[in-house]
Amino acid sequence: MPKIIAGKTEIECRLIIFDKNGTLVDQERFLLSLAKARRQSLCTMVGSQVDDLWEKAVGTDLKHGRIDHSGPLATAPQREEVLIAASAVYQCGHSWSEAKKIAIEAYEHADESLRPSYGCVLLEGIVDVLKRLKSNELKLAIATTDSHKRTEESLKFLGVAHLFDVIVGGDDVKNSKPAPDTVLEACRRVGCLPGDSVVVGDSLNDIIMGKNAKVKKCIGVLTGFTSKEELQQIIDVIIESVTELRTEG
């Protein structure tokens, strides 16, 4: 079985399951780009009165460039955030049925305006480490709360989609992180047992997801919003970034 090295820990595994935002992609830049596009789209359709309502509801302050790292924008799958956006539209005088329709359409328009990268920028050194891992007969997967389509198109634009054997988005499963569904679906599609897999992520939800799925190891990275002290409460293996993952030979 292939072996990876994270810090001083050697782990035999067949599959590495990566979170996307904060682990492979610059989370702050991605979320700010997404937030600006969604706010603009909603304001165009509803009017400026929805602005503050939506920002408070999803957890962002675009005037000061701030994101609530534990809020819906940063942690919820899109299908949940759309309903939160709909509640803001509803408060502007629309019926609930109309509000949902407007929110869905606004988010679709926002995605269109961000194509093809949707604001995604890979963290430094990610391409080289993914190629190195892939060349050592390891299977690679993505487990994200982001939508499957946006994730796949972003990674294609960034030139790394071909390095992943499977991509599982928040809309591919019934229950998102920290439920184990995303990891279990990745394992199912690759044909690998959770016990032969590892999860690599930057957030507590990533690590809890991996533990709930009973993977072999969970590896925390410090390139996202979660501090080392927070990660240490629930995890044994912590590295600065994905670029510190190594293989034998």
Side-chain angles (χ1 to χ4, degrees):
M1 187 181 297
K3 182 185 294 183
I4 62 171
I5 304 169
K8 297 180 180 180
T9 304
E10 296 186 356
I11 309 165
E12 289 187 339
C13 62
R14 300 185 187 280
L15 170 64
I16 305 177
I17 303 171
F18 293 95
D19 165 59
K20 178 172 74 77
N21 298 333
T23 302
L24 303 177
V25 167
D26 185 326
Q27 187 170 20
E28 193 80 16
R29 291 176 65 177
F30 169 71
L31 290 177
L32 285 172
S33 296
L34 205 58
K36 290 174 183 176
R38 289 173 175 175
R39 182 188 65 176
Q40 180 60 48
S41 186
L42 279 167
C43 287
T44 298
M45 297 182 69
V46 181
S48 59
Q49 69 268 30
V50 78
D51 190 342
D52 287 343
L53 291 169
W54 177 80
E55 287 200 26
K56 290 177 181 177
V58 301
T60 184
D61 176 0
L62 290 178
K63 181 179 179 180
H64 299 96
R66 295 172 184 163
I67 302 290
D68 178 358
H69 303 163
S70 62
L73 179 67
T75 64
Q78 181 168 318
R79 63 175 180 270
E80 294 180 7
E81 193 191 326
V82 165
L83 291 177
I84 294 170
S87 72
V89 176
Y90 171 73
Q91 292 180 68
C92 293
H94 295 269
S95 71
W96 180 237
S97 178
E98 291 173 339
K100 287 190 291 183
K101 183 177 179 180
I102 290 170
I104 291 170
E105 187 175 343
Y107 272 52
E108 288 175 349
H109 286 171
D111 278 356
E112 291 290 335
S113 73
L114 282 172
R115 288 186 176 182
S117 68
Y118 302 99
C120 284
V121 177
L122 289 173
L123 294 169
E124 186 176 352
I126 291 298
V127 176
D128 289 340
V129 73
L130 291 176
K131 288 180 177 179
R132 187 167 65 249
L133 293 170
K134 191 68 176 176
S135 68
N136 278 268
E137 301 183 352
L138 285 154
K139 299 289 187 181
L140 305 182
I142 293 281
T144 178
T145 56
D146 199 4
S147 71
H148 183 110
K149 179 182 178 182
R150 184 165 50 239
T151 299
E152 185 171 32
E153 290 184 357
S154 297
L155 295 179
K156 282 182 179 178
F157 178 81
L158 295 169
V160 295
H162 67 286
L163 297 172
F164 294 96
D165 297 274
V166 66
I167 293 170
V168 184
D171 51 349
D172 290 323
V173 294
K174 181 178 180 180
N175 302 302
S176 192
K177 304 176 184 181
D181 300 35
T182 318
V183 166
L184 296 177
E185 181 63 12
C187 290
R188 185 189 69 80
R189 293 187 188 183
V190 171
C192 181
L193 294 172
D196 291 331
S197 309
V198 300
V199 164
V200 182
D202 68 291
S203 74
L204 297 179
N205 275 350
D206 296 328
I207 306 310
I208 297 170
M209 171 185 66
K211 288 182 175 291
N212 285 339
K214 301 187 184 330
V215 299
K216 192 165 194 176
K217 286 284 186 181
C218 295
I219 300 170
V221 295
L222 301 177
T223 46
F225 296 149
T226 310
S227 69
K228 183 175 183 179
E229 290 71 28
E230 289 176 292
L231 286 173
Q232 282 177 328
Q233 295 178 24
I234 62 171
I235 197 171
D236 296 321
V237 183
I238 299 177
I239 53 179
E240 287 294 326
S241 73
V242 168
T243 57
E244 291 187 19
L245 289 176
R246 310 189 312 279
T247 56
E248 286 191 320

